[in-house]
């Protein structure tokens, strides 16, 4: 930690009182485990935990600013962080910018608005629902809310009991919950239209479809830096020189540029034999991903249906590679998104085409590889450059049609907070509309993601 940041956090810590620390801990519950927060007794320890989680650091003070704004310490915001109430209000109006959830903001706001007599009335109405020792005179409203959460009486999508209590105690505050629920319903509907969670041409491949529907509208957390590994397996020079994949270097460069920008630890491995592909993928599945949000793997090679080829022409089953990252085989990525993007053919058939403007005057080559099924596990997305039994095209000078389109769409749409499934759908549409050496290419998305995957763009 830099000397300047240490000094800043010390000065802010010294200015905070016990009730304000409790508020900061409450507002951070989506980011720091409850047990860790319960053990924290002073602001310095709290800030150390936020640093451990990469929520604050040199040049990364947005979460600290937001916390101070919510607890109304505008004096600290102005004196130590060079911000203001007006600036924070403008910042937090930008969709997706707030790091404290709307649910947490709502509960904190209600707690602040309740006067001592109101708090006593709420505790009285909860006597048969919560243990008496949790409703003592000195228990704050935030502590009562925490106990209600622990006992399942309130949660983000069910505030019925709290509404009933406030209807009796403070009907004006009950209206705040009504407004929150209405806005949440609107956001849910809008996201449902714009950002599909799971897309596949074959419904039987969506093993987690029912669960995905329940999770609709939720977003995978992307708060660490780096967010995770972006592993690129790029086969260019084959043992048979006639099979060399000209243009694939450009694909690798395009992917590295995008994912370094998105704050991934990006690694490219070139020209791997079949066995080395297996070993490399398995090596990354054994790494500690606990401080990572996501794993991304690009594979560029020739192949056959359901298989990727090493530079020695040894085939590796794609399902074998993906299975390395199931919750059982890679527990530190359990519940986190795993993305595989594969540029290779699915076979030698050709989609019939209609007459359209030529895609490129440069020379086009065909790649080769696959996927008919994936392990029935959650949190996996596979983007294939083409559907089964069809070729995938690569320009020898500019790279593959699919990968170049994907990189351009990510540069355009990630800053707009469009999720990856929707971006891949855009890519499908663009690639499918091109004329490629007299044929058509149709990419495919197979997903068991349970939430939206939105890559955070550094500010």
């Amino acid at each position: 930690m830099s000397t300047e940041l240490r000094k800043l956090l010390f000065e802010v810590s010294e200015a905070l009182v016990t009730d304000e620390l409790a508020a900061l801990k409450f507002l951070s519950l989506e980011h720091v485990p409850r047990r860790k927060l319960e053990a924290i007794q002073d602001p310095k320890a709290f800030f150390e935990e936020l640093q451990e989680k990469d929520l604050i650091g040199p040049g990364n003070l947005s979460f600290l600013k937001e916390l101070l704004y919510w607890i109304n310490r505008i004096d600290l915001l102005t004196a130590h962080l060079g911000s203001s109430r007006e600036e924070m209000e403008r910042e937090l109006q930008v969709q997706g910018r707030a790091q404290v959830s709307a649910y947490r903001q709502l509960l904190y706001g209600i707690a602040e608005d309740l006067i001592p007599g109101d708090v006593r009335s709420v505790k009285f109405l909860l006597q048969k629902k919560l243990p008496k020792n949790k409703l003592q005179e000195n228990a704050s409203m935030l502590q009562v809310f925490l106990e209600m959460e622990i006992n399942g009486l309130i949660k983000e999508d069910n505030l019925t009991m709290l509404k009933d209590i406030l209807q009796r105690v403070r009907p004006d505050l009950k209206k705040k919950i009504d407004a929150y629920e209405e806005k949440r319903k609107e956001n849910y509907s809008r996201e449902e239209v714009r950002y599909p969670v799971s897309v596949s041409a074959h419904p039987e491949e969506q093993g987690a479809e029912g669960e995905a529907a329940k999770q609709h509208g939720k977003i995978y957390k992307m708060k660490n830096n780096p967010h995770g590994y972006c592993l690129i397996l790029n086969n260019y020079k084959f043992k048979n020189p006639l099979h060399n994949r000209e243009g694939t270097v450009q694909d690798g460069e395009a992917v590295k540029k995008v994912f370094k920008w998105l704050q991934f630890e990006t690694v490219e491995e070139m020209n791997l034999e079949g066995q080395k592909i297996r070993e490399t993928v398995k090596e990354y599945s054994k790494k500690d991903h606990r401080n990572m949000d996501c794993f991304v793997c690009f594979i560029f090679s020739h192949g056959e249906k359901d298989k990727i080829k090493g530079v020695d022409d040894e085939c590796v089953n794609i399902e074998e590679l993906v299975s390395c990252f199931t919750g059982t085989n890679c527990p530190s990525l359990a519940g986190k998104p795993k993305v595989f993007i594969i540029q290779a053919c699915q076979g030698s058939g050709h989609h019939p085409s209609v007459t359209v403007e030529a895609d490129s005057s440069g020379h086009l080559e065909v790649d080769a590889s696959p996927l008919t099924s994936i392990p029935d596990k959650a949190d996996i997305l596979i983007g294939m450059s083409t559907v089964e039994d069809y070729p995938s095209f690569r320009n020898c000078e500019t790279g593959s049609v699919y990968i170049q389109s994907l990189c351009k769409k990510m540069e355009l749409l990630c800053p707009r907070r469009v999720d990856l499934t929707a971006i891949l759908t855009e890519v499908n549409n663009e690639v499918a509309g091109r004329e490629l050496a007299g044929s058509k290419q149709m990419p495919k998305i197979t997903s068991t993601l349970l939430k939206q995957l939105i890559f955070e763009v550094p500010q």
Side-chain angles (χ1 to χ4, degrees):
M1 180 176 24
S2 69
T3 305
E4 292 81 5
L5 180 59
R6 194 185 309 276
K7 181 182 177 184
L8 167 67
L9 295 179
F10 176 80
E11 290 173 348
V12 173
S13 299
E14 290 293 294
L16 295 170
V17 299
T18 302
D19 287 348
E20 289 170 335
L21 173 61
L24 295 176
K25 290 161 61 174
F26 181 84
L27 292 168
S28 301
L29 272 165
E30 267 84 21
H31 303 280
V32 182
R34 186 188 307 274
R35 287 183 181 178
K36 287 200 172 184
L37 288 171
E38 287 173 349
I40 292 172
Q41 299 301 322
D42 70 86
K44 296 181 190 68
F46 173 71
F47 290 141
E48 285 174 6
E49 184 60 34
L50 293 190
Q51 289 174 80
E52 282 286 314
K53 295 289 183 183
D54 289 325
L55 290 165
I56 57 174
N60 177 25
L61 296 173
S62 58
F63 189 54
L64 176 59
K65 289 180 182 179
E66 184 178 344
L67 289 175
L68 293 177
Y69 169 80
W70 289 123
I71 68 169
N72 203 33
R73 287 303 304 266
I74 307 302
D75 57 327
L76 298 178
L77 195 60
T78 304
H80 298 290
L81 292 158
S83 188
S84 65
R85 184 190 303 276
E86 294 73 26
E87 183 181 323
M88 289 305 302
E89 286 173 351
R90 286 196 301 272
E91 180 76 9
L92 295 173
Q93 281 176 359
V94 178
Q95 187 177 359
R97 195 62 57 85
Q99 296 179 68
V100 176
S101 70
Y103 166 69
R104 202 64 52 192
Q105 294 172 32
L106 172 73
L107 293 183
Y108 178 71
I110 290 173
E112 286 293 286
D113 287 339
L114 291 171
I115 62 174
D118 297 331
V119 175
R120 285 193 292 272
S121 297
V122 171
K123 290 177 181 176
F124 177 80
L125 293 170
L126 285 168
Q127 281 182 341
K128 293 185 178 180
K129 301 292 183 180
L130 294 177
K132 285 186 179 180
N133 65 334
K134 302 299 182 182
L135 297 171
Q136 294 176 354
E137 183 67 26
N138 63 351
S140 70
M141 197 63 233
L142 290 183
Q143 289 173 314
V144 173
F145 282 156
L146 284 172
E147 286 303 317
M148 291 179 75
E149 287 184 303
I150 290 169
N151 287 273
L153 303 181
I154 56 171
K155 53 185 178 178
E156 186 177 17
D157 58 355
N158 187 357
L159 291 163
T160 304
M161 179 175 288
L162 183 57
K163 283 172 66 174
D164 291 344
I165 291 172
L166 290 178
Q167 182 64 43
R168 301 184 194 184
V169 178
R170 286 285 301 274
D172 59 319
L173 296 183
K174 184 255 185 186
K175 292 178 182 177
K176 284 191 172 185
I177 300 179
D178 291 335
Y180 161 81
E181 291 177 333
E182 188 61 34
K183 188 171 183 181
R184 194 168 184 273
K185 192 183 299 182
E186 289 173 6
N187 289 342
Y188 179 95
S189 300
R190 183 164 60 249
E191 296 296 335
E192 188 174 28
V193 171
R194 291 181 59 192
Y195 304 132
V197 169
S198 183
V199 179
S200 173
H202 305 285
E204 66 271 16
E205 293 172 355
Q206 299 182 17
E209 184 178 357
E211 186 62 29
K214 297 176 188 175
Q215 299 287 343
H216 217 333
K218 294 188 177 180
I219 300 172
Y220 286 106
K221 289 184 179 178
M222 297 291 286
K223 300 300 180 186
N224 288 301
N225 186 3
H227 292 305
Y229 293 104
C230 174
L231 175 64
I232 305 166
L233 307 181
N234 194 347
N235 282 348
Y236 169 30
K237 293 189 175 181
F238 282 69
K239 292 197 171 177
N240 181 346
L242 294 175
H243 294 164
N244 288 353
R245 301 179 60 255
E246 301 296 337
T248 195
V249 171
Q250 287 86 332
D251 285 347
E253 291 302 315
V255 170
K256 283 187 286 186
K257 177 186 173 187
V258 169
F259 278 85
K260 284 179 180 177
W261 167 58
L262 293 174
Q263 297 181 320
F264 276 75
E265 186 170 327
T266 306
V267 181
E268 184 174 28
E269 300 283 351
M270 298 289 295
N271 305 325
L272 303 182
E273 295 183 347
Q275 184 56 32
K276 188 62 177 176
I277 291 175
R278 292 189 185 91
E279 292 172 359
T280 302
V281 169
K282 190 164 288 186
E283 174 193 340
Y284 275 82
S285 73
K286 300 302 179 187
K287 287 183 180 288
D288 186 352
H289 300 268
R290 283 178 297 179
N291 291 322
M292 305 290 197
D293 304 307
C294 179
F295 175 76
V296 178
C297 181
F298 284 82
I299 305 176
F300 307 149
S301 191
H302 291 303
E304 297 173 358
K305 188 173 180 179
D306 289 327
K307 296 178 178 65
I308 285 289
K309 282 188 176 181
V311 295
D312 56 350
D313 283 336
E314 180 184 348
C315 289
V316 182
N317 195 296
I318 291 181
E319 184 172 340
E320 177 186 344
L321 302 179
V322 174
S323 293
C324 291
F325 291 89
T326 61
T328 303
N329 293 328
C330 185
S332 62
L333 275 173
K336 301 176 183 180
K338 281 78 66 174
V339 178
F340 296 84
I341 304 292
I342 298 169
Q343 164 61 33
C345 283
Q346 302 269 351
S348 57
H350 284 245
H351 283 290
S353 64
V354 295
T355 303
V356 294
E357 185 178 350
D359 170 64
S360 171
S361 58
H363 178 57
L364 285 170
E365 288 186 348
V366 173
D367 279 323
S369 183
L371 192 66
T372 53
S373 62
I374 63 169
D376 187 20
K377 304 293 181 183
D379 307 304
I380 291 172
L381 184 148
I382 300 177
M384 302 292 298
S385 60
T386 189
V387 296
E388 292 87 353
D389 299 320
Y390 287 91
S392 178
F393 293 94
R394 171 176 31 83
N395 187 295
C396 295
E397 295 176 358
T398 60
S400 67
V401 176
Y402 178 66
I403 296 300
Q404 294 297 323
S405 175
L406 173 60
C407 290
K408 287 174 184 174
K409 290 291 184 184
M410 290 187 75
E411 288 177 334
L412 175 67
L413 298 176
C414 284
R416 302 180 190 175
R417 292 185 59 77
V418 178
D419 87 309
L420 183 58
T421 304
I423 291 174
L424 286 167
T425 303
E426 288 284 318
V427 172
N428 284 10
N429 184 56
E430 180 174 283
V431 173
R434 294 187 178 187
E435 175 83 6
L436 303 165
S439 296
K440 288 286 188 179
Q441 179 177 330
M442 183 64 241
K444 175 186 174 183
I445 308 163
T446 305
S447 173
T448 59
L449 294 184
L450 302 182
K451 306 176 187 179
Q452 294 174 37
L453 175 50
I454 297 175
F455 292 116
E456 297 290 339
V457 174
Q459 301 301 314

